[in-house]
Amino acid sequence: MEVGGKILTGAAVTALLAVVGHYATGDGYISGLEKAAQTEITAQGMDGVTVAFGREPLSRKAVLDGDVSEDMKQKALNTIAAIPGVSGAAWAGSDLVAETDNSTANVDPAAQTAIAECQSAVDKAMDGKKLSFRSGSAYISPASNKILDDVAAALEPCSGLAIAVGGHTDDNGNAEVNKILSQERADRVRAGLIERGIAENRVTATGFGAEQPLATGSDPEADARNRRIEFKVQAADKKATNDANSQQGE
């Protein structure tokens, strides 16, 4: 999925988490996290990276290994740390780590299941589709308004959960301008969801600029993958606010 999919590929991973979420945080649950993590690594094309979780004692912290570049190591760590239920990730034999945002790490299994099911519905609404904007602006194309209709409909049954909208650009041009543009686009998408009935306090918007690329390089294919809006369902344990000021250092 080029746009609108989160770092997670979506259907396969969230469906698996929805199943394992019915278990307590025992071996079955840890095994489910491990399978989800390895599935995500494979889906992201990071061949050579392996993921393991501790069994004695059981741990939700992932340990990654493999003979890959430093850039890929960090990308893999960030990818795994973003999976619901994972409490953190570290690279074996090095100081490289990635911290989870804790949006689901400390949530009980039943709530994790609800998050996974809702994320799966959002991913299905976005599958094969792309939110598009007028070049250099936050103006959403008419076709993208229909996509927002579908995303809002997927979120409607998810009462008690929050949705984080992330805006991302390619690395062409000025980095600060790109970050501001990504924030403006995330803000516009957030406003669109609110207009469609999603409660304001459930939706956050954050612009990341080109800081979290999905693809390396600056060829047209990589640029197209990196220009995207991501939707991440999470526990509503924090006040949802517009992040424009914090992203711009205010």
Side-chain angles (χ1 to χ4, degrees), residues 18 74 109 137 189 225:
Q74 194 62 61
S137 82
V189 172
R225 288 195 66 196

Side-chain angles (χ1 to χ4, degrees), residues 10 25 40 47 52 55 74 77 99 103 111 130 167 174 181 191 194 206-207 226 230-231 235:
T25 52
E40 183 60 21
D47 298 332
R55 294 301 199 279
Q74 194 62 61
L77 287 169
E99 295 182 0
S103 61
K130 179 177 181 178
N174 180 274
L181 177 61
I194 293 169
T206 305
N226 292 331
E230 294 180 342
F231 297 99

Side-chain angles (χ1 to χ4, degrees), residues 101-140:
D101 63 8
N102 291 319
S103 61
T104 58
N106 298 316
V107 178
D108 66 80
Q112 289 182 21
T113 299
I115 291 170
E117 290 174 344
C118 191
Q119 184 68 58
S120 181
V122 172
D123 292 341
K124 184 176 180 181
M126 288 298 303
D127 190 23
K129 303 172 186 176
K130 179 177 181 178
L131 281 171
S132 59
F133 301 84
R134 182 179 293 165
S135 179
S137 82
Y139 175 81
I140 301 177

Side-chain angles (χ1 to χ4, degrees), residues 208-237:
F208 297 97
E211 295 173 354
Q212 298 181 3
L214 289 180
T216 57
S218 294
D219 57 276
E221 182 178 352
D223 287 347
R225 288 195 66 196
N226 292 331
R227 292 191 300 267
R228 67 197 189 278
I229 291 290
E230 294 180 342
F231 297 99
K232 182 177 181 181
V233 179
Q234 55 194 23
D237 57 351

